[in-house]
């Protein structure tokens, strides 16, 4: 293992040869479980990028290499990130960032029922959906485009609250949060209906133009009903929605 940050250099010899037992994501943060009681924490922030390659063929890059993990003939390289630490289990549990996060939306151990329980909890049930879906203390891993797309797929007003929803809508929202996040992960960012997105690209649309239902499509017609997609503000970011499909009220 190689660290490009001087304070971490003493860990290189201690970690080399140990086995990575598990890798868990928490939003943009990643935790590698190393050996018995050691963890490598990293956060990509705005500019961090992971690259995987053959160990003898590191890619040419102007970015600063912050960490390199060589495993037999393959390597995982982290560029540009500066928030990296080696922690034990106690330090991990008390980490000032991780301890504030909700469950990761792509964590395989998180169920839709877990998400429904958070939606209806005293902490979140009175808050608007358009605000809590990007609150990382609610669930980690949802950004603005997923917020907009999830609410559209469920036909929900961004200003509605968990306490306003029937059980069926709560379940649909939880399913969409996990389902769309997984689809986006597997397709490189497509949240639109996959058949529609492929058809649009075959007709000449760019990937960016075809990838979403409503996000960044203000002024364009809704694929579902033809109404004009609207744009408003929520939690400091633009919310895109269909006023017809989502029954947005004042």
């Amino acid at each position: 293992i190689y660290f490009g940050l001087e304070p971490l250099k003493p860990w290189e010899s201690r970690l080399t040869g140990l086995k990575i037992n598990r890798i868990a994501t928490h939003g943009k943060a990643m935790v590698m479980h190393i050996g018995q009681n050691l963890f490598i924490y990293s956060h990509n922030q705005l500019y961090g990028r992971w690259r995987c390659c053959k160990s003898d063929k590191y890619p040419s890059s102007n970015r600063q290499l912050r960490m390199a993990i060589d495993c037999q003939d393959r390597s995982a390289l982290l560029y540009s990130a500066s928030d990296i630490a080696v922690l034990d289990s106690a330090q991990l549990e008390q980490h000032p960032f991780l301890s504030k996060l909700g469950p990761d939306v792509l964590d395989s151990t998180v169920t839709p029922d877990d998400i429904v329980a958070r939606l209806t909890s005293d902490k979140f049930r009175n808050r608007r959906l358009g605000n809590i879906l990007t609150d990382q203390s609610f669930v980690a891993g949802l950004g603005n485009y997923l917020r907009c797309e999830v609410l559209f797929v469920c036909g929900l007003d961004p200003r509605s609250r968990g306490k306003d929803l029937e059980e069926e809508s709560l379940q649909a929202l939880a399913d969409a949060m996990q389902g769309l996040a997984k689809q986006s992960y597997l397709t490189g960012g497509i949240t639109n209906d996959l058949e529609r997105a492929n058809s649009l690209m075959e007709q000449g649309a760019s990937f960016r133009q075809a990838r979403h239902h409503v996000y960044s499509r203000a002024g364009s017609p809704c694929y579902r009903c033809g109404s004009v997609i609207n744009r408003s503000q929520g939690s400091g970011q633009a919310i895109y929605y269909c006023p017809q499909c989502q029954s947005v009220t004042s």
Side-chain angles (χ1 to χ4, degrees):
I1 189 166
Y2 162 84
F3 287 113
L5 298 172
E6 198 59 35
L8 296 175
K9 286 292 187 183
W11 284 103
E12 290 179 346
S13 59
R14 291 185 60 182
L15 296 179
T16 295
L18 296 183
K19 180 181 179 180
I20 299 175
N21 299 314
R22 180 170 177 260
I23 298 175
T25 57
H26 303 265
K28 289 186 177 181
M30 179 181 290
V31 177
M32 298 183 191
H33 298 230
I34 310 289
Q36 293 299 313
N37 186 37
L38 287 175
F39 306 85
I40 299 178
Y41 162 85
S42 64
H43 194 296
N44 280 12
Q45 300 169 307
L46 290 176
Y47 305 108
R49 293 289 185 275
W50 281 98
R51 296 282 300 274
C52 292
C53 64
K54 292 184 177 180
S55 294
D56 59 350
K57 291 186 178 180
Y58 280 19
S60 176
S61 176
N62 292 326
R63 293 174 176 269
Q64 291 183 308
L65 182 60
R66 300 298 196 182
M67 179 166 57
I69 300 174
D70 297 315
C71 301
Q72 296 177 340
D73 62 339
R74 301 290 292 177
S75 293
L77 312 176
L78 177 57
Y79 291 94
S80 301
S82 57
D83 190 4
I84 305 172
V86 180
L87 310 169
D88 60 27
S89 56
Q91 292 169 322
L92 185 71
E93 186 175 344
Q94 299 169 13
H95 191 276
F97 176 72
L98 293 175
S99 61
K100 295 178 181 178
L101 295 180
D104 191 279
V105 71
L106 287 177
D107 188 329
S108 60
T109 66
V110 177
T111 68
D113 287 343
D114 293 332
I115 295 177
V116 170
R118 294 184 71 76
L119 282 165
T120 55
S121 68
D122 290 342
K123 183 176 181 179
F124 297 110
R125 65 189 302 271
N126 292 310
R127 292 181 56 189
R128 293 181 175 182
L129 297 177
N131 291 336
I132 67 169
L133 290 194
T134 52
D135 182 343
Q136 301 299 291
S137 70
F138 169 58
V139 295
L142 290 185
N144 191 30
Y145 82 85
L146 280 170
R147 163 177 69 170
C148 299
E149 297 290 282
V150 165
L151 291 174
F152 171 79
V153 165
C154 296
L156 293 174
D157 181 338
R159 289 165 283 189
S160 60
R161 297 169 168 83
K163 69 176 183 179
D164 302 326
L165 305 183
E166 301 292 336
E167 182 63 33
E168 184 178 351
S169 294
L170 287 167
Q171 197 68 42
L173 178 56
D175 289 342
M177 288 168 62
Q178 292 190 299
L180 276 189
K182 185 175 182 179
Q183 176 182 308
S184 181
Y185 168 74
L186 293 173
T187 61
I190 298 176
T191 50
N192 202 350
D193 177 81
L194 291 178
E195 188 173 323
R196 178 190 295 128
N198 289 329
S199 177
L200 289 169
M201 287 187 281
E202 288 172 1
Q203 295 171 34
S206 67
F207 177 81
R208 182 175 181 180
Q209 291 170 327
R211 64 185 288 204
H212 299 310
H213 290 283
V214 293
Y215 180 74
S216 199
R217 296 190 63 240
S220 298
C222 173
Y223 294 124
R224 201 180 275 170
C225 73
S227 298
V228 174
I229 302 300
N230 287 354
R231 179 183 186 274
S232 65
Q233 289 296 120
S235 299
Q237 295 177 302
I239 293 181
Y240 298 87
Y241 61 91
C242 173
Q244 180 65 33
C245 293
Q246 294 175 253
S247 302
V248 178
T249 57
S250 59

